[in-house]
mmCIF file of all heavy atoms in Angstrom:
data_model
loop_
_atom_site.group_PDB
_atom_site.id
_atom_site.type_symbol
_atom_site.label_atom_id
_atom_site.label_comp_id
_atom_site.label_asym_id
_atom_site.label_seq_id
_atom_site.Cartn_x
_atom_site.Cartn_y
_atom_site.Cartn_z
ATOM 1 N N MET A 201 106.282 77.294 85.840
ATOM 2 C CA MET A 201 105.849 78.496 86.526
ATOM 3 C C MET A 201 107.009 79.250 87.148
ATOM 4 O O MET A 201 106.802 80.312 87.713
ATOM 5 C CB MET A 201 104.831 78.155 87.613
ATOM 6 C CG MET A 201 103.483 77.803 87.100
ATOM 7 S SD MET A 201 102.796 79.269 86.345
ATOM 8 C CE MET A 201 101.210 78.706 85.905
ATOM 9 N N HIS A 202 108.207 78.738 87.100
ATOM 10 C CA HIS A 202 109.346 79.419 87.694
ATOM 11 C C HIS A 202 109.675 80.706 86.940
ATOM 12 O O HIS A 202 110.218 81.644 87.517
ATOM 13 C CB HIS A 202 110.561 78.492 87.715
ATOM 14 C CG HIS A 202 111.755 79.098 88.361
ATOM 15 N ND1 HIS A 202 111.770 79.440 89.697
ATOM 16 C CD2 HIS A 202 112.958 79.459 87.870
ATOM 17 C CE1 HIS A 202 112.926 79.961 89.987
ATOM 18 N NE2 HIS A 202 113.676 79.988 88.905
ATOM 19 N N TYR A 203 109.330 80.800 85.664
ATOM 20 C CA TYR A 203 109.615 82.011 84.894
ATOM 21 C C TYR A 203 108.810 83.191 85.406
ATOM 22 O O TYR A 203 109.183 84.346 85.224
ATOM 23 C CB TYR A 203 109.356 81.782 83.407
ATOM 24 C CG TYR A 203 107.901 81.514 83.076
ATOM 25 C CD1 TYR A 203 107.048 82.562 82.761
ATOM 26 C CD2 TYR A 203 107.384 80.222 83.076
ATOM 27 C CE1 TYR A 203 105.719 82.325 82.465
ATOM 28 C CE2 TYR A 203 106.064 79.987 82.783
ATOM 29 C CZ TYR A 203 105.244 81.036 82.476
ATOM 30 O OH TYR A 203 103.931 80.814 82.188
ATOM 31 N N LEU A 204 107.688 82.984 86.085
ATOM 32 C CA LEU A 204 106.899 84.090 86.636
ATOM 33 C C LEU A 204 107.596 84.798 87.791
ATOM 34 O O LEU A 204 107.362 85.970 88.027
ATOM 35 C CB LEU A 204 105.529 83.576 87.093
ATOM 36 C CG LEU A 204 104.586 83.128 85.987
ATOM 37 C CD1 LEU A 204 103.288 82.609 86.595
ATOM 38 C CD2 LEU A 204 104.300 84.254 85.015
ATOM 39 N N THR A 205 108.488 84.098 88.466
ATOM 40 C CA THR A 205 109.217 84.723 89.567
ATOM 41 C C THR A 205 110.090 85.847 89.039
ATOM 42 O O THR A 205 110.090 86.955 89.563
ATOM 43 C CB THR A 205 110.088 83.692 90.303
ATOM 44 O OG1 THR A 205 109.250 82.647 90.767
ATOM 45 C CG2 THR A 205 110.817 84.327 91.452
ATOM 46 N N GLY A 206 110.833 85.620 87.978
ATOM 47 C CA GLY A 206 111.665 86.659 87.378
ATOM 48 C C GLY A 206 110.830 87.760 86.786
ATOM 49 O O GLY A 206 111.174 88.946 86.870
ATOM 50 N N LEU A 207 109.695 87.433 86.181
ATOM 51 C CA LEU A 207 108.803 88.428 85.605
ATOM 52 C C LEU A 207 108.234 89.329 86.685
ATOM 53 O O LEU A 207 108.130 90.538 86.507
ATOM 54 C CB LEU A 207 107.667 87.722 84.845
ATOM 55 C CG LEU A 207 106.653 88.647 84.164
ATOM 56 C CD1 LEU A 207 107.332 89.394 83.031
ATOM 57 C CD2 LEU A 207 105.486 87.848 83.632
ATOM 58 N N HIS A 208 107.902 88.769 87.819
ATOM 59 C CA HIS A 208 107.377 89.547 88.953
ATOM 60 C C HIS A 208 108.404 90.606 89.394
ATOM 61 O O HIS A 208 108.057 91.741 89.632
ATOM 62 C CB HIS A 208 107.048 88.607 90.105
ATOM 63 C CG HIS A 208 106.679 89.300 91.377
ATOM 64 N ND1 HIS A 208 105.475 89.921 91.537
ATOM 65 C CD2 HIS A 208 107.364 89.477 92.528
ATOM 66 C CE1 HIS A 208 105.425 90.457 92.745
ATOM 67 N NE2 HIS A 208 106.568 90.195 93.366
ATOM 68 N N GLU A 209 109.671 90.215 89.473
ATOM 69 C CA GLU A 209 110.702 91.152 89.887
ATOM 70 C C GLU A 209 110.919 92.252 88.860
ATOM 71 O O GLU A 209 111.157 93.399 89.220
ATOM 72 C CB GLU A 209 112.010 90.419 90.132
ATOM 73 C CG GLU A 209 111.984 89.525 91.348
ATOM 74 C CD GLU A 209 113.289 88.799 91.560
ATOM 75 O OE1 GLU A 209 114.287 89.169 90.907
ATOM 76 O OE2 GLU A 209 113.313 87.873 92.365
ATOM 77 N N VAL A 210 110.823 91.942 87.591
ATOM 78 C CA VAL A 210 111.078 92.931 86.537
ATOM 79 C C VAL A 210 109.894 93.879 86.385
ATOM 80 O O VAL A 210 110.067 95.095 86.331
ATOM 81 C CB VAL A 210 111.372 92.225 85.199
ATOM 82 C CG1 VAL A 210 111.438 93.224 84.058
ATOM 83 C CG2 VAL A 210 112.664 91.446 85.291
ATOM 84 N N VAL A 211 108.685 93.353 86.334
ATOM 85 C CA VAL A 211 107.514 94.186 86.083
ATOM 86 C C VAL A 211 107.178 95.076 87.269
ATOM 87 O O VAL A 211 106.933 96.268 87.115
ATOM 88 C CB VAL A 211 106.294 93.298 85.718
ATOM 89 C CG1 VAL A 211 105.031 94.120 85.633
ATOM 90 C CG2 VAL A 211 106.555 92.579 84.408
ATOM 91 N N LEU A 212 107.185 94.530 88.470
ATOM 92 C CA LEU A 212 106.787 95.284 89.635
ATOM 93 C C LEU A 212 107.954 95.952 90.354
ATOM 94 O O LEU A 212 107.752 96.739 91.265
ATOM 95 C CB LEU A 212 106.046 94.383 90.621
ATOM 96 C CG LEU A 212 104.754 93.758 90.090
ATOM 97 C CD1 LEU A 212 104.150 92.864 91.146
ATOM 98 C CD2 LEU A 212 103.774 94.842 89.677
ATOM 99 N N ALA A 213 109.177 95.648 89.966
ATOM 100 C CA ALA A 213 110.402 96.207 90.548
ATOM 101 C C ALA A 213 110.480 95.956 92.055
ATOM 102 O O ALA A 213 110.944 96.794 92.805
ATOM 103 C CB ALA A 213 110.515 97.688 90.240
ATOM 104 N N VAL A 214 109.952 94.827 92.487
ATOM 105 C CA VAL A 214 110.075 94.421 93.886
ATOM 106 C C VAL A 214 110.596 92.995 93.926
ATOM 107 O O VAL A 214 110.258 92.189 93.071
ATOM 108 C CB VAL A 214 108.730 94.500 94.644
ATOM 109 C CG1 VAL A 214 108.257 95.917 94.767
ATOM 110 C CG2 VAL A 214 107.684 93.647 93.972
ATOM 111 N N PRO A 215 111.414 92.684 94.890
ATOM 112 C CA PRO A 215 111.909 91.309 94.966
ATOM 113 C C PRO A 215 110.839 90.364 95.485
ATOM 114 O O PRO A 215 109.956 90.764 96.244
ATOM 115 C CB PRO A 215 113.059 91.398 95.975
ATOM 116 C CG PRO A 215 112.751 92.610 96.783
ATOM 117 C CD PRO A 215 112.007 93.549 95.873
ATOM 118 N N THR A 216 110.919 89.143 95.061
ATOM 119 C CA THR A 216 109.993 88.130 95.551
ATOM 120 C C THR A 216 110.414 87.743 96.960
ATOM 121 O O THR A 216 111.553 87.935 97.351
ATOM 122 C CB THR A 216 110.011 86.891 94.635
ATOM 123 O OG1 THR A 216 111.347 86.404 94.590
ATOM 124 C CG2 THR A 216 109.519 87.222 93.245
ATOM 125 N N PRO A 217 109.503 87.183 97.753
ATOM 126 C CA PRO A 217 109.868 86.799 99.125
ATOM 127 C C PRO A 217 111.033 85.838 99.201
ATOM 128 O O PRO A 217 111.767 85.863 100.158
ATOM 129 C CB PRO A 217 108.591 86.177 99.655
ATOM 130 C CG PRO A 217 107.498 86.781 98.858
ATOM 131 C CD PRO A 217 108.090 87.021 97.506
ATOM 132 N N THR A 218 111.224 84.989 98.190
ATOM 133 C CA THR A 218 112.333 84.035 98.230
ATOM 134 C C THR A 218 113.650 84.694 97.862
ATOM 135 O O THR A 218 114.696 84.142 98.132
ATOM 136 C CB THR A 218 112.059 82.872 97.268
ATOM 137 O OG1 THR A 218 111.862 83.403 95.958
ATOM 138 C CG2 THR A 218 110.830 82.099 97.692
ATOM 139 N N ALA A 219 113.613 85.896 97.270
ATOM 140 C CA ALA A 219 114.847 86.555 96.846
ATOM 141 C C ALA A 219 115.436 87.430 97.946
ATOM 142 O O ALA A 219 116.552 87.919 97.797
ATOM 143 C CB ALA A 219 114.576 87.401 95.603
ATOM 144 N N THR A 220 114.733 87.647 99.033
ATOM 145 C CA THR A 220 115.254 88.494 100.091
ATOM 146 C C THR A 220 116.026 87.666 101.095
ATOM 147 O O THR A 220 115.673 86.516 101.365
ATOM 148 C CB THR A 220 114.115 89.216 100.839
ATOM 149 O OG1 THR A 220 113.233 88.252 101.375
ATOM 150 C CG2 THR A 220 113.378 90.177 99.924
ATOM 151 N N PRO A 221 117.069 88.203 101.671
ATOM 152 C CA PRO A 221 117.806 87.449 102.687
ATOM 153 C C PRO A 221 116.949 87.203 103.930
ATOM 154 O O PRO A 221 116.254 88.098 104.380
ATOM 155 C CB PRO A 221 118.991 88.345 103.045
ATOM 156 C CG PRO A 221 118.979 89.481 102.097
ATOM 157 C CD PRO A 221 117.664 89.483 101.381
ATOM 158 N N GLY A 222 116.979 86.037 104.434
ATOM 159 C CA GLY A 222 116.207 85.721 105.625
ATOM 160 C C GLY A 222 114.820 85.196 105.329
ATOM 161 O O GLY A 222 114.053 84.950 106.238
ATOM 162 N N GLY A 223 114.431 85.105 104.091
ATOM 163 C CA GLY A 223 113.167 84.478 103.747
ATOM 164 C C GLY A 223 112.004 85.416 103.476
ATOM 165 O O GLY A 223 110.909 84.965 103.231
ATOM 166 N N GLY A 224 112.187 86.676 103.511
ATOM 167 C CA GLY A 224 111.108 87.588 103.119
ATOM 168 C C GLY A 224 110.612 88.453 104.243
ATOM 169 O O GLY A 224 111.083 88.400 105.364
ATOM 170 N N GLY A 225 109.645 89.280 103.909
ATOM 171 C CA GLY A 225 109.088 90.200 104.889
ATOM 172 C C GLY A 225 109.891 91.492 104.942
ATOM 173 O O GLY A 225 111.056 91.528 104.599
ATOM 174 N N SER A 226 109.249 92.560 105.387
ATOM 175 C CA SER A 226 109.968 93.822 105.492
ATOM 176 C C SER A 226 110.667 93.892 106.837
ATOM 177 O O SER A 226 110.129 93.487 107.854
ATOM 178 C CB SER A 226 109.009 95.002 105.336
ATOM 179 O OG SER A 226 108.070 95.001 106.376
ATOM 180 N N HIS A 227 111.860 94.412 106.825
ATOM 181 C CA HIS A 227 112.659 94.486 108.036
ATOM 182 C C HIS A 227 112.807 95.954 108.443
ATOM 183 O O HIS A 227 113.466 96.715 107.769
ATOM 184 C CB HIS A 227 114.036 93.870 107.827
ATOM 185 C CG HIS A 227 113.988 92.414 107.535
ATOM 186 N ND1 HIS A 227 113.781 91.910 106.264
ATOM 187 C CD2 HIS A 227 114.098 91.343 108.347
ATOM 188 C CE1 HIS A 227 113.768 90.601 106.317
ATOM 189 N NE2 HIS A 227 113.964 90.233 107.570
ATOM 190 N N GLY A 228 112.208 96.348 109.537
ATOM 191 C CA GLY A 228 112.411 97.685 110.059
ATOM 192 C C GLY A 228 111.507 98.736 109.475
ATOM 193 O O GLY A 228 111.096 99.636 110.168
ATOM 194 N N GLY A 229 111.197 98.701 108.220
ATOM 195 C CA GLY A 229 110.318 99.675 107.620
ATOM 196 C C GLY A 229 111.034 100.888 107.043
ATOM 197 O O GLY A 229 110.419 101.725 106.427
ATOM 198 N N GLY A 230 112.339 101.024 107.264
ATOM 199 C CA GLY A 230 113.076 102.135 106.694
ATOM 200 C C GLY A 230 112.706 103.471 107.295
ATOM 201 O O GLY A 230 112.454 103.587 108.483
ATOM 202 N N ALA A 231 112.638 104.495 106.445
ATOM 203 C CA ALA A 231 112.377 105.867 106.911
ATOM 204 C C ALA A 231 110.879 106.176 106.957
ATOM 205 O O ALA A 231 110.512 107.290 107.276
ATOM 206 C CB ALA A 231 113.076 106.860 105.996
ATOM 207 N N GLY A 232 110.023 105.240 106.651
ATOM 208 C CA GLY A 232 108.592 105.484 106.611
ATOM 209 C C GLY A 232 108.007 106.025 107.899
ATOM 210 O O GLY A 232 107.392 107.089 107.901
ATOM 211 N N PRO A 233 108.174 105.350 109.020
ATOM 212 C CA PRO A 233 107.613 105.853 110.276
ATOM 213 C C PRO A 233 108.214 107.189 110.713
ATOM 214 O O PRO A 233 107.527 108.048 111.233
ATOM 215 C CB PRO A 233 107.945 104.755 111.289
ATOM 216 C CG PRO A 233 108.167 103.537 110.479
ATOM 217 C CD PRO A 233 108.699 103.993 109.171
ATOM 218 N N VAL A 234 109.510 107.370 110.471
ATOM 219 C CA VAL A 234 110.160 108.621 110.856
ATOM 220 C C VAL A 234 109.640 109.773 110.014
ATOM 221 O O VAL A 234 109.294 110.838 110.536
ATOM 222 C CB VAL A 234 111.704 108.498 110.715
ATOM 223 C CG1 VAL A 234 112.378 109.835 110.980
ATOM 224 C CG2 VAL A 234 112.238 107.423 111.633
ATOM 225 N N LEU A 235 109.537 109.563 108.721
ATOM 226 C CA LEU A 235 109.035 110.605 107.819
ATOM 227 C C LEU A 235 107.587 110.930 108.131
ATOM 228 O O LEU A 235 107.186 112.106 108.136
ATOM 229 C CB LEU A 235 109.184 110.155 106.372
ATOM 230 C CG LEU A 235 108.842 111.174 105.306
ATOM 231 C CD1 LEU A 235 109.719 112.411 105.451
ATOM 232 C CD2 LEU A 235 109.008 110.575 103.925
ATOM 233 N N ARG A 236 106.789 109.931 108.417
ATOM 234 C CA ARG A 236 105.381 110.158 108.769
ATOM 235 C C ARG A 236 105.268 110.989 110.043
ATOM 236 O O ARG A 236 104.468 111.917 110.132
ATOM 237 C CB ARG A 236 104.680 108.805 108.954
ATOM 238 C CG ARG A 236 103.185 108.920 109.143
ATOM 239 C CD ARG A 236 102.534 107.555 109.225
ATOM 240 N NE ARG A 236 102.943 106.675 108.144
ATOM 241 C CZ ARG A 236 103.431 105.445 108.331
ATOM 242 N NH1 ARG A 236 103.543 104.951 109.523
ATOM 243 N NH2 ARG A 236 103.793 104.723 107.290
ATOM 244 N N THR A 237 106.120 110.710 111.025
ATOM 245 C CA THR A 237 106.105 111.468 112.269
ATOM 246 C C THR A 237 106.516 112.912 112.026
ATOM 247 O O THR A 237 105.905 113.846 112.567
ATOM 248 C CB THR A 237 107.058 110.822 113.293
ATOM 249 O OG1 THR A 237 106.655 109.458 113.493
ATOM 250 C CG2 THR A 237 107.044 111.549 114.607
ATOM 251 N N VAL A 238 107.538 113.122 111.204
ATOM 252 C CA VAL A 238 107.987 114.488 110.904
ATOM 253 C C VAL A 238 106.890 115.272 110.202
ATOM 254 O O VAL A 238 106.656 116.450 110.519
ATOM 255 C CB VAL A 238 109.273 114.444 110.056
ATOM 256 C CG1 VAL A 238 109.603 115.815 109.476
ATOM 257 C CG2 VAL A 238 110.430 113.921 110.868
ATOM 258 N N ILE A 239 106.184 114.660 109.284
ATOM 259 C CA ILE A 239 105.118 115.342 108.565
ATOM 260 C C ILE A 239 103.967 115.698 109.506
ATOM 261 O O ILE A 239 103.454 116.814 109.491
ATOM 262 C CB ILE A 239 104.619 114.479 107.386
ATOM 263 C CG1 ILE A 239 105.702 114.414 106.314
ATOM 264 C CG2 ILE A 239 103.328 115.020 106.812
ATOM 265 C CD1 ILE A 239 105.402 113.441 105.193
ATOM 266 N N VAL A 240 103.565 114.760 110.354
ATOM 267 C CA VAL A 240 102.461 115.009 111.279
ATOM 268 C C VAL A 240 102.825 116.123 112.255
ATOM 269 O O VAL A 240 102.032 117.046 112.496
ATOM 270 C CB VAL A 240 102.066 113.715 112.031
ATOM 271 C CG1 VAL A 240 101.147 114.009 113.189
ATOM 272 C CG2 VAL A 240 101.429 112.734 111.059
ATOM 273 N N VAL A 241 104.030 116.081 112.820
ATOM 274 C CA VAL A 241 104.458 117.109 113.763
ATOM 275 C C VAL A 241 104.545 118.465 113.056
ATOM 276 O O VAL A 241 104.170 119.494 113.633
ATOM 277 C CB VAL A 241 105.803 116.725 114.407
ATOM 278 C CG1 VAL A 241 106.421 117.885 115.166
ATOM 279 C CG2 VAL A 241 105.625 115.524 115.317
ATOM 280 N N GLY A 242 105.001 118.490 111.812
ATOM 281 C CA GLY A 242 105.077 119.750 111.070
ATOM 282 C C GLY A 242 103.717 120.347 110.805
ATOM 283 O O GLY A 242 103.520 121.567 110.938
ATOM 284 N N VAL A 243 102.753 119.521 110.436
ATOM 285 C CA VAL A 243 101.397 120.019 110.167
ATOM 286 C C VAL A 243 100.747 120.536 111.458
ATOM 287 O O VAL A 243 100.152 121.610 111.470
ATOM 288 C CB VAL A 243 100.534 118.921 109.509
ATOM 289 C CG1 VAL A 243 99.072 119.305 109.483
ATOM 290 C CG2 VAL A 243 101.034 118.638 108.101
ATOM 291 N N VAL A 244 100.889 119.783 112.535
ATOM 292 C CA VAL A 244 100.319 120.220 113.800
ATOM 293 C C VAL A 244 100.990 121.512 114.267
ATOM 294 O O VAL A 244 100.326 122.438 114.741
ATOM 295 C CB VAL A 244 100.449 119.106 114.873
ATOM 296 C CG1 VAL A 244 100.100 119.620 116.259
ATOM 297 C CG2 VAL A 244 99.576 117.935 114.505
ATOM 298 N N GLY A 245 102.288 121.602 114.101
ATOM 299 C CA GLY A 245 103.005 122.821 114.458
ATOM 300 C C GLY A 245 102.567 124.016 113.626
ATOM 301 O O GLY A 245 102.422 125.127 114.149
ATOM 302 N N ALA A 246 102.340 123.827 112.339
ATOM 303 C CA ALA A 246 101.880 124.918 111.485
ATOM 304 C C ALA A 246 100.488 125.386 111.891
ATOM 305 O O ALA A 246 100.205 126.593 111.902
ATOM 306 C CB ALA A 246 101.878 124.475 110.022
ATOM 307 N N VAL A 247 99.618 124.457 112.240
ATOM 308 C CA VAL A 247 98.270 124.823 112.673
ATOM 309 C C VAL A 247 98.332 125.606 113.994
ATOM 310 O O VAL A 247 97.665 126.636 114.147
ATOM 311 C CB VAL A 247 97.383 123.562 112.818
ATOM 312 C CG1 VAL A 247 96.090 123.872 113.539
ATOM 313 C CG2 VAL A 247 97.100 122.962 111.457
ATOM 314 N N LEU A 248 99.132 125.139 114.932
ATOM 315 C CA LEU A 248 99.264 125.853 116.205
ATOM 316 C C LEU A 248 99.887 127.229 116.024
ATOM 317 O O LEU A 248 99.472 128.203 116.670
ATOM 318 C CB LEU A 248 100.083 125.028 117.194
ATOM 319 C CG LEU A 248 99.391 123.795 117.753
ATOM 320 C CD1 LEU A 248 100.354 122.995 118.615
ATOM 321 C CD2 LEU A 248 98.165 124.187 118.538
ATOM 322 N N LEU A 249 100.867 127.355 115.145
ATOM 323 C CA LEU A 249 101.476 128.651 114.880
ATOM 324 C C LEU A 249 100.484 129.605 114.245
ATOM 325 O O LEU A 249 100.404 130.782 114.630
ATOM 326 C CB LEU A 249 102.699 128.481 113.973
ATOM 327 C CG LEU A 249 103.450 129.766 113.593
ATOM 328 C CD1 LEU A 249 104.031 130.413 114.845
ATOM 329 C CD2 LEU A 249 104.521 129.458 112.584
ATOM 330 N N ALA A 250 99.699 129.131 113.283
ATOM 331 C CA ALA A 250 98.686 129.976 112.657
ATOM 332 C C ALA A 250 97.644 130.417 113.671
ATOM 333 O O ALA A 250 97.237 131.585 113.686
ATOM 334 C CB ALA A 250 98.013 129.225 111.503
ATOM 335 N N TRP A 251 97.216 129.507 114.539
ATOM 336 C CA TRP A 251 96.243 129.866 115.573
ATOM 337 C C TRP A 251 96.802 130.922 116.520
ATOM 338 O O TRP A 251 96.155 131.896 116.858
ATOM 339 C CB TRP A 251 95.835 128.625 116.360
ATOM 340 C CG TRP A 251 94.985 128.938 117.547
ATOM 341 C CD1 TRP A 251 93.650 129.242 117.552
ATOM 342 C CD2 TRP A 251 95.428 129.020 118.905
ATOM 343 N NE1 TRP A 251 93.245 129.488 118.834
ATOM 344 C CE2 TRP A 251 94.307 129.368 119.688
ATOM 345 C CE3 TRP A 251 96.653 128.816 119.533
ATOM 346 C CZ2 TRP A 251 94.390 129.526 121.067
ATOM 347 C CZ3 TRP A 251 96.728 128.971 120.897
ATOM 348 C CH2 TRP A 251 95.610 129.325 121.654
ATOM 349 N N PHE A 252 98.066 130.744 116.926
ATOM 350 C CA PHE A 252 98.693 131.683 117.847
ATOM 351 C C PHE A 252 98.847 133.061 117.223
ATOM 352 O O PHE A 252 98.603 134.081 117.877
ATOM 353 C CB PHE A 252 100.053 131.136 118.278
ATOM 354 C CG PHE A 252 100.797 132.044 119.210
ATOM 355 C CD1 PHE A 252 100.415 132.131 120.544
ATOM 356 C CD2 PHE A 252 101.878 132.790 118.772
ATOM 357 C CE1 PHE A 252 101.095 132.967 121.414
ATOM 358 C CE2 PHE A 252 102.553 133.628 119.642
ATOM 359 C CZ PHE A 252 102.172 133.706 120.967
ATOM 360 N N LEU A 253 99.241 133.104 115.945
ATOM 361 C CA LEU A 253 99.434 134.403 115.299
ATOM 362 C C LEU A 253 98.128 135.099 114.982
ATOM 363 O O LEU A 253 98.042 136.331 115.023
ATOM 364 C CB LEU A 253 100.252 134.221 114.017
ATOM 365 C CG LEU A 253 101.721 133.797 114.226
ATOM 366 C CD1 LEU A 253 102.379 133.547 112.887
ATOM 367 C CD2 LEU A 253 102.468 134.848 115.016
ATOM 368 N N LEU A 254 97.102 134.342 114.637
ATOM 369 C CA LEU A 254 95.845 134.953 114.220
ATOM 370 C C LEU A 254 94.894 135.266 115.388
ATOM 371 O O LEU A 254 93.972 136.047 115.221
ATOM 372 C CB LEU A 254 95.122 134.043 113.218
ATOM 373 C CG LEU A 254 95.839 133.887 111.867
ATOM 374 C CD1 LEU A 254 95.110 132.874 111.019
ATOM 375 C CD2 LEU A 254 95.931 135.229 111.170
ATOM 376 N N ARG A 255 95.128 134.690 116.544
ATOM 377 C CA ARG A 255 94.192 134.937 117.652
ATOM 378 C C ARG A 255 94.282 136.367 118.162
ATOM 379 O O ARG A 255 93.323 136.888 118.730
ATOM 380 C CB ARG A 255 94.431 133.970 118.796
ATOM 381 C CG ARG A 255 95.690 134.237 119.570
ATOM 382 C CD ARG A 255 95.925 133.195 120.627
ATOM 383 N NE ARG A 255 97.153 133.525 121.355
ATOM 384 C CZ ARG A 255 97.220 133.641 122.661
ATOM 385 N NH1 ARG A 255 96.155 133.429 123.398
ATOM 386 N NH2 ARG A 255 98.352 133.951 123.236
ATOM 387 N N GLY A 256 95.397 137.044 117.961
ATOM 388 C CA GLY A 256 95.551 138.419 118.398
ATOM 389 C C GLY A 256 94.733 139.396 117.565
ATOM 390 O O GLY A 256 94.479 140.523 118.009
ATOM 391 N N TYR A 257 94.329 139.007 116.371
ATOM 392 C CA TYR A 257 93.572 139.896 115.492
ATOM 393 C C TYR A 257 92.069 139.752 115.672
ATOM 394 O O TYR A 257 91.302 140.466 115.059
ATOM 395 C CB TYR A 257 93.926 139.629 114.031
ATOM 396 C CG TYR A 257 95.366 139.956 113.727
ATOM 397 C CD1 TYR A 257 96.305 138.964 113.507
ATOM 398 C CD2 TYR A 257 95.796 141.280 113.676
ATOM 399 C CE1 TYR A 257 97.622 139.254 113.231
ATOM 400 C CE2 TYR A 257 97.115 141.594 113.417
ATOM 401 C CZ TYR A 257 98.030 140.580 113.173
ATOM 402 O OH TYR A 257 99.316 140.878 112.915
ATOM 403 N N ARG A 258 91.621 138.832 116.512
ATOM 404 C CA ARG A 258 90.194 138.625 116.736
ATOM 405 C C ARG A 258 89.604 139.790 117.521
ATOM 406 O O ARG A 258 90.157 140.210 118.537
ATOM 407 C CB ARG A 258 89.978 137.332 117.498
ATOM 408 C CG ARG A 258 88.531 136.927 117.587
ATOM 409 C CD ARG A 258 88.303 135.664 118.398
ATOM 410 N NE ARG A 258 89.479 134.801 118.414
ATOM 411 C CZ ARG A 258 89.711 133.940 119.385
ATOM 412 N NH1 ARG A 258 88.881 133.853 120.405
ATOM 413 N NH2 ARG A 258 90.773 133.190 119.350
ATOM 414 N N GLY A 259 88.500 140.343 117.080
ATOM 415 C CA GLY A 259 87.806 141.380 117.809
ATOM 416 C C GLY A 259 88.378 142.780 117.660
ATOM 417 O O GLY A 259 87.939 143.686 118.327
ATOM 418 N N GLN A 260 89.341 142.975 116.774
ATOM 419 C CA GLN A 260 89.920 144.303 116.594
ATOM 420 C C GLN A 260 89.481 144.965 115.302
ATOM 421 O O GLN A 260 90.008 146.012 114.961
ATOM 422 C CB GLN A 260 91.440 144.203 116.613
ATOM 423 C CG GLN A 260 92.000 143.805 117.964
ATOM 424 C CD GLN A 260 93.541 143.793 117.948
ATOM 425 O OE1 GLN A 260 94.146 144.116 116.955
ATOM 426 N NE2 GLN A 260 94.107 143.417 119.061
ATOM 427 N N GLY A 261 88.573 144.360 114.594
ATOM 428 C CA GLY A 261 88.158 144.919 113.309
ATOM 429 C C GLY A 261 87.403 146.235 113.474
ATOM 430 O O GLY A 261 86.431 146.329 114.205
ATOM 431 N N GLY A 262 87.837 147.304 112.820
ATOM 432 C CA GLY A 262 87.146 148.573 112.804
ATOM 433 C C GLY A 262 87.494 149.520 113.921
ATOM 434 O O GLY A 262 87.067 150.662 113.921
ATOM 435 N N GLN A 263 88.251 149.119 114.891
ATOM 436 C CA GLN A 263 88.626 150.016 115.974
ATOM 437 C C GLN A 263 89.898 150.767 115.591
ATOM 438 O O GLN A 263 90.878 150.163 115.204
ATOM 439 C CB GLN A 263 88.874 149.249 117.269
ATOM 440 C CG GLN A 263 87.634 148.572 117.802
ATOM 441 C CD GLN A 263 87.942 147.807 119.084
ATOM 442 O OE1 GLN A 263 89.036 147.858 119.591
ATOM 443 N NE2 GLN A 263 86.943 147.089 119.571
ATOM 444 N N ASP A 264 89.866 152.078 115.730
ATOM 445 C CA ASP A 264 91.063 152.880 115.389
ATOM 446 C C ASP A 264 91.648 153.533 116.589
ATOM 447 O O ASP A 264 91.097 154.073 117.446
ATOM 448 C CB ASP A 264 90.727 153.945 114.347
ATOM 449 C CG ASP A 264 90.494 153.317 112.993
ATOM 450 O OD1 ASP A 264 91.099 152.262 112.743
ATOM 451 O OD2 ASP A 264 89.727 153.871 112.220
#
């Protein structure tokens, strides 16, 4: 069954837990949490900007 370890790394392109230094597990998470925060803040900022820009046009339809 040792041949499945190498097959796992080739097919799924991820290292097996025994192949990582320190015995496995993810360390730190990389840029995932930072990128997620940037995306969430950007979306919330875009919504607030749209609300701020469009609120001035409410109730002015048809008045000259």
